[in-house]
Amino acid sequence: MRVCLDACVLYPTVLREILTGVAAQGAFRPLWSPRILEEWARAAARLGPEGEAVARAEVVVLRDAFPDAEVRPRDGDLARLHLPDPDDVHVLAAAVAGSADVICTFNAKDFPRRTLAIEGIERLDPDQLLARLGTGHGPAISRTVRRVHVTAERLSGEVLPLRPLLKRARLPKLAKTLAAAG
């Protein structure tokens, strides 16, 4: 499955690390455009100059880890595609250029299912995407979440209960599933 990751799912660190970690284990092929990565870096600038610098360094790491993930929207697609927010057309155009099956975003209102269906693309939020992937890639998701959890605790210097950590990452269904699995 090819999944175009919108900037809003790359910006939160825990969420990005889970999604890209699951992708690194072969559960899906991530896609993004240069503009999506730039939007992520600009969003991180809200944390201050060091936030943007860290994001730009992480962009370099992601590009190295996934050299085939970056797609460039075609001018023709940018011109013909329409969404409620014209500033999001580049995401759909990137998904079309990369032959994506899914756009992973929290921005449901600006990516109407009917419009995406015309292009053969589905919209899923990260929790929905991971739930769908859980059927065939449950162990990969669990391993990735464990690794991200350990890293988050190490970096914060404190104990971070998993379920609240995942809920803050806007992954409540995943949190519930993993809690039920023990």
Side-chain angles (χ1 to χ4, degrees):
M1 174 186 317
R2 296 154 95 62
V3 179
C4 185
L5 300 174
D6 195 2
C8 64
V9 304
L10 292 172
Y11 175 55
T13 302
V14 168
L15 178 57
R16 179 184 62 257
E17 291 298 315
I18 290 171
L19 289 173
T20 59
V22 170
Q25 293 192 51
F28 68 93
R29 180 174 170 209
L31 301 170
W32 47 69
S33 69
R35 182 169 170 186
I36 290 170
L37 297 178
E38 180 62 24
E39 284 184 0
W40 162 31
R42 283 196 322 257
R46 291 184 220 142
L47 300 173
E50 64 279 348
E52 183 175 5
V54 168
R56 291 197 183 281
E58 290 172 341
V59 165
V60 171
V61 170
L62 268 188
R63 282 179 163 148
D64 187 53
F66 299 98
D68 297 330
E70 195 160 294
V71 295
R72 297 200 178 270
R74 296 179 293 260
D75 290 338
D77 290 333
L78 289 166
R80 78 174 174 81
L81 295 169
H82 298 281
L83 289 172
D85 183 349
D87 287 338
D88 287 322
V89 169
H90 73 95
V91 177
L92 178 54
V96 169
S99 301
D101 302 294
V102 170
I103 291 176
C104 185
T105 185
F106 288 116
N107 191 358
K109 69 178 176 58
D110 288 330
F111 291 95
R113 291 190 191 280
R114 180 179 293 149
T115 302
L116 298 183
I118 293 167
E119 302 300 326
I121 298 171
E122 185 177 11
R123 172 186 35 85
L124 297 174
D125 69 35
D127 221 12
Q128 293 167 326
L129 174 65
L130 292 167
R132 179 166 302 165
L133 294 171
T135 304
H137 301 280
I141 293 170
S142 294
R143 281 191 303 274
T144 300
V145 169
R146 271 195 305 276
R147 180 186 52 77
V148 171
H149 184 213
V150 166
T151 301
E153 287 186 325
R154 180 177 49 78
L155 292 174
S156 73
E158 57 188 76
V159 174
L160 300 171
L162 180 60
R163 195 164 182 178
L165 178 71
L166 292 176
K167 284 184 175 183
R168 278 192 308 277
R170 298 178 67 182
L171 297 170
K173 291 176 192 166
L174 179 62
K176 186 175 180 179
T177 300
L178 292 177

